[in-house]
Amino acid sequence: MVLQRNLYEKSGSWLFQHRSFLALAGFPLLIVGLKSFSYIHHSHQITEEWQLLCFFVSLSGLALRIFTIGFVPRRTSGRNTHSQVAETLNTTGIYSLVRNPLYLGNYLIMLGFAMFFHLWWLVVIASLICALGYHAIVCAEEAFLKKSFGKEFDDWASRTPVFIPKLSGWVPPSLGFCWRTVCRREYTAFFLITAGFFLLDVAADSIAEGAVRIRGEWALIFGVGALTYLTLRTLKKKTHLLRVPGR
């Protein structure tokens, strides 16, 4: 059992450093899904409504990430990849309901893309990839947190689920919500979701109809995502507007 956990921690440490590329593991599934794509009940209208639902599932994952990141202090819940970093242990706000809200948000983002093709087996396989990958990462992260915070971590872990949020025990966040932190950190994720669904819709419609099709509503969504990305990236790189001390 100890050997198995050590193996999980070692593989999790490697995956932690490369977790930004975890989504690439599902890329072959997208290719397979596109090759077999067809309209639901041969109806473009029904298919478009389904795709919008999928889009909002992914946006719900982004919303969970935004809700999490907006309340956390500096050097926690970060994007660091070289090593684990945690100056404090997050136990309030969303972290009082679930220990890994960012990974849950990532899963919901992935789920929306997987649902796009309305193939149940693709959703199952993509979910298994996420489950195995994040399980290993969480083992490595929590080994680090246990070593860093000891009993404080043990007490928090004993009352807080790993991945599925509980519905009671809410503890108000220790900090207020900071939109500037969210804008600084999540603009890329928003753009990737809008661009991803736009490209999938163009590819799927083109395959189903045998000719390139660009729908106005998806082009608009892509445009909003691209404009948001360019604006916030410029503000982040060229100004101090999005920087907040301690965040």
Side-chain angles (χ1 to χ4, degrees):
M1 193 71 177
V2 174
L3 180 62
Q4 183 183 36
R5 185 165 187 85
N6 287 338
L7 181 61
Y8 271 130
E9 289 178 12
K10 287 181 179 179
S11 61
S13 294
W14 184 88
L15 284 170
F16 175 83
Q17 296 176 14
H18 301 87
R19 67 192 186 278
S20 298
F21 301 99
L22 183 60
L24 295 179
F27 186 75
L29 297 177
L30 298 182
I31 301 301
V32 174
L34 281 173
K35 284 188 174 181
S36 59
F37 184 84
S38 62
Y39 290 149
I40 301 174
H41 299 309
H42 306 288
S43 169
H44 176 263
Q45 181 62 34
I46 294 175
T47 303
E48 280 289 304
E49 292 171 356
W50 172 257
Q51 290 171 355
L52 282 173
L53 172 63
C54 297
F55 179 62
F56 283 111
V57 169
S58 289
L59 286 184
S60 73
L62 178 62
L64 180 56
R65 287 186 56 87
I66 288 172
F67 185 76
T68 302
I69 288 170
F71 288 107
V72 296
R74 183 176 177 270
R75 294 180 70 80
T76 62
S77 303
R79 296 178 180 275
N80 48 295
T81 56
H82 297 296
S83 62
Q84 305 276 4
V85 174
E87 293 184 348
T88 59
L89 182 66
N90 289 323
T91 61
T92 63
I94 190 65
Y95 284 96
S96 64
L97 305 182
V98 62
R99 301 209 300 265
N100 296 280
L102 292 180
Y103 293 154
L104 177 57
N106 291 347
Y107 170 72
L108 291 173
I109 291 172
M110 180 284 304
L111 181 62
F113 281 100
M115 290 169 55
F116 181 93
F117 304 97
H118 48 88
L119 297 169
W120 67 268
W121 58 264
L122 192 150
V123 173
V124 170
I125 294 175
S127 296
L128 286 174
I129 291 173
C130 273
L132 292 173
Y134 283 132
H135 176 67
I137 292 173
V138 167
C139 280
E141 287 185 337
E142 296 202 337
F144 168 78
L145 292 175
K146 181 176 177 61
K147 181 179 179 180
S148 300
F149 299 101
K151 188 176 184 302
E152 183 183 2
F153 169 79
D154 289 336
D155 292 344
W156 171 62
S158 68
R159 65 177 184 267
T160 311
V162 177
F163 201 69
I164 300 177
K166 62 179 180 178
L167 301 179
S168 61
W170 169 261
V171 178
S174 56
L175 294 175
F177 188 82
C178 182
W179 269 110
R180 285 191 285 171
T181 300
V182 169
C183 290
R184 187 179 75 248
R185 291 179 55 175
E186 292 303 297
Y187 68 92
T188 299
F190 177 63
F191 173 66
L192 289 177
I193 292 172
T194 57
F197 273 92
F198 168 71
L199 292 173
L200 279 180
D201 181 75
V202 171
D205 281 353
S206 299
I207 289 170
E209 300 182 18
V212 175
R213 294 285 186 270
I214 298 178
R215 310 293 175 182
E217 59 271 29
W218 286 110
L220 177 61
I221 288 172
F222 171 72
V224 171
L227 180 60
T228 301
Y229 176 84
L230 292 173
T231 300
L232 293 180
R233 183 170 179 80
T234 299
L235 290 176
K236 178 181 178 180
K237 298 296 183 180
K238 303 295 185 181
T239 74
H240 299 287
L241 185 62
L242 301 182
R243 297 183 186 179
V244 181
R247 309 292 284 269

